[in-house]
Amino acid sequence: MQALDVKPLEIIISGSYYDSQIYDGKLYLWKNDGSITTVNWNKLIENININEQLKLVLKFSVQFGDNLYNNLLFQDVEIKDLILSKFKKLVENSIEISSANLASFIVSEQNNPLPFPHADSSIHYKTVYVGSQSGVSSSNCGYSRKKSLNPEAEKLCDIPVLSLSASHLTLAIAAGSEGLFDYYLGQNPSHKRNVPRHIFVQHSNFVRWLYPSVFSSSYFNDGYFADFKASNRRRSSIKKGYRKQQPELTQLTNLDNTPAEEKSSIASLEIGETQITNREFKKLISSSEIFTNNENEQSSIFTWGTHDKICSVTEKSIQLVKFYPKATEEQEKFINLGSIETEELLGDIISADSSFFGIVLEQEEGLLVITSLLKYIHFPGEPVNWRVFPKSKNYTNQLHIIYEDCIRIYSFNHDFFVDQENKKIGISFGV
């Protein structure tokens, strides 16, 4: 068996950008001039000039990033080694796309209908959401052949946003000194306009989902886990079957102008979105309560949680807890995974996030990725923006880093071969 130290594939796209999202075969690029460019990602990849023998692994790398997880073919060592060797050859290629070359794959260029500049963005059920100091606004994807986004954006609420994250037909919103909110996106049974729900008042500047629950991070406190219980009580008429959900989902998407051959199941585009549930708030749990069993006495620099892992970074280590949402006993929900001593001192953390391939730490000198193989990869230079996509099916292995003159898209392909049950760093796939 070969060593798993596969370097990430790098794709460089020239241009001056502010933010990016990738969803359902489209790459959305917010430009600094206030416009949005939508790129046909699949056609762009298909036209990359690369050795014919590497085209299949290129597709797995940047178009179908989930399909190699738990693949039965990998039980054959020869096949597994062959795919590994192809990935290693793939990353030797330098893939750079100029503005002129990109033009051939642009679906639309339009004025940005959403507030700009924004603090954060997300795509959920084929709708783009952005948050800024003025609040949260949305615009449907796939509006027409000439405009990818509906030019008439909808203002949802006036809460100031530092971070937002979408799942379960709900936006979780970190609103700084105003605390943590969530906002239900589905149809209100009373047909009244939805209103934000204030979860707690502690400072919140970063929020991510852990199944139906959320974790709020802050520079001014240790972070809080907002525990929610999922149920189906919100819409009793939906209990009869999935078809009953369609009218509600259709209100969130504008599919009428989408060609039949381009339509796809909404649920299939996002991980963990096969069932829509009501979420009942139970209680707050501070990170100090979650990490009570850790023996490390160093003070935490930054704590965050995503999907099944909660991470707390100190200067010399990363403390890890695994979250089991279906555990019946409180003490069984948070299982201590111990701590990992870091190879280098970790100074001030500007931001952090998790994906399946590992964790990303933003520091003053640039980004540091610690992979699920405990490899350290540095991306020097101050980014304009960056993000990972653990909720977006097919792109879970991507990291987008925007610099002043380009966007660099990195595809991490080592995690397909990692034991998901026992890995410490990174979200566990399918466990």
Side-chain angles (χ1 to χ4, degrees), residues 69-130:
Y69 277 109
N70 303 321
N71 196 304
L72 288 176
L73 288 174
F74 285 176
Q75 293 181 11
D76 186 315
V77 175
E78 291 184 5
I79 294 177
K80 194 172 186 178
D81 280 349
L82 175 63
I83 299 296
L84 262 174
S85 65
K86 286 180 177 290
F87 273 124
K88 291 180 178 181
K89 290 178 181 178
L90 176 67
V91 300
E92 295 174 359
N93 291 266
S94 177
I95 302 175
E96 297 190 32
I97 301 166
S98 66
S99 298
N101 291 336
L102 187 68
S104 302
F105 309 102
I106 291 177
V107 176
S108 72
E109 290 183 287
Q110 65 184 107
N111 292 330
N112 184 2
L114 299 159
F116 185 82
H118 54 255
D120 203 357
S121 66
S122 183
I123 301 182
H124 188 49
Y125 286 115
K126 293 193 174 182
T127 301
V128 177
Y129 299 92
V130 303

Side-chain angles (χ1 to χ4, degrees), residues 168 170 182 197 199 209 212-214 225-234 277-284 333:
H168 302 288
T170 303
D182 69 4
R197 172 170 54 173
I199 298 173
W209 288 83
S213 302
V214 294
F225 177 85
D227 191 15
F228 283 82
K229 180 181 179 181
S231 70
N232 292 315
R233 289 187 297 171
R234 186 189 298 276
T277 59
N278 180 43
R279 299 166 52 255
E280 178 186 353
F281 177 63
K282 305 298 289 184
K283 64 177 181 178
L284 289 177
K333 280 190 173 183

Side-chain angles (χ1 to χ4, degrees), residues 217-377:
S217 305
S218 174
Y219 304 122
F220 302 103
N221 57 57
D222 291 336
Y224 286 85
F225 177 85
D227 191 15
F228 283 82
K229 180 181 179 181
S231 70
N232 292 315
R233 289 187 297 171
R234 186 189 298 276
R235 298 174 301 284
S236 58
S237 62
I238 291 178
K239 291 182 180 180
K240 295 180 180 179
Y242 180 74
R243 288 185 179 182
K244 293 291 185 181
Q245 297 178 17
Q246 297 307 309
E248 181 170 322
L249 298 185
T250 304
Q251 293 185 24
L252 293 175
T253 61
N254 189 344
L255 303 180
D256 293 339
N257 296 309
T258 304
E261 65 272 14
E262 294 182 13
K263 291 186 179 182
S264 56
S265 166
I266 295 175
S268 72
L269 301 175
E270 301 174 41
I271 290 178
E273 295 298 329
T274 55
Q275 183 179 8
I276 301 167
T277 59
N278 180 43
R279 299 166 52 255
E280 178 186 353
F281 177 63
K282 305 298 289 184
K283 64 177 181 178
L284 289 177
I285 305 174
S286 70
S287 64
S288 59
E289 296 176 74
I290 293 172
F291 287 95
T292 51
N293 294 326
N294 281 312
E295 300 176 356
N296 199 316
E297 297 181 355
Q298 302 171 38
S299 59
S300 172
I301 299 174
F302 193 74
T303 302
W304 76 97
T306 305
H307 200 66
D308 71 327
K309 299 282 175 59
I310 301 174
C311 310
S312 185
V313 175
T314 71
E315 190 177 46
K316 297 180 180 179
S317 68
I318 302 169
Q319 302 174 58
L320 299 152
V321 162
K322 190 163 186 175
F323 172 58
Y324 291 90
K326 293 184 179 181
T328 55
E329 300 296 330
E330 187 70 36
Q331 63 269 23
E332 296 175 349
K333 280 190 173 183
F334 303 100
I335 304 301
N336 177 28
L337 297 180
S339 61
I340 295 173
E341 297 297 316
T342 57
E343 294 180 356
E344 54 195 68
L345 293 178
L346 301 176
D348 291 338
I349 304 295
I350 298 172
S351 186
D353 209 347
S354 301
S355 196
F356 295 92
F357 59 80
I359 64 174
V360 186
L361 305 175
E362 182 181 357
Q363 302 171 292
E364 289 186 358
E365 61 272 19
L367 299 184
L368 168 63
V369 173
I370 304 177
T371 74
S372 52
L373 291 172
L374 300 183
K375 301 290 185 181
Y376 287 62
I377 304 176

Side-chain angles (χ1 to χ4, degrees), residues 1-7 80-81 84-85 88 373 375 414 417:
M1 178 66 191
Q2 297 186 51
L4 299 181
D5 54 341
V6 183
K7 296 179 181 179
K80 194 172 186 178
D81 280 349
L84 262 174
S85 65
K88 291 180 178 181
L373 291 172
K375 301 290 185 181
H414 65 276
F417 309 94

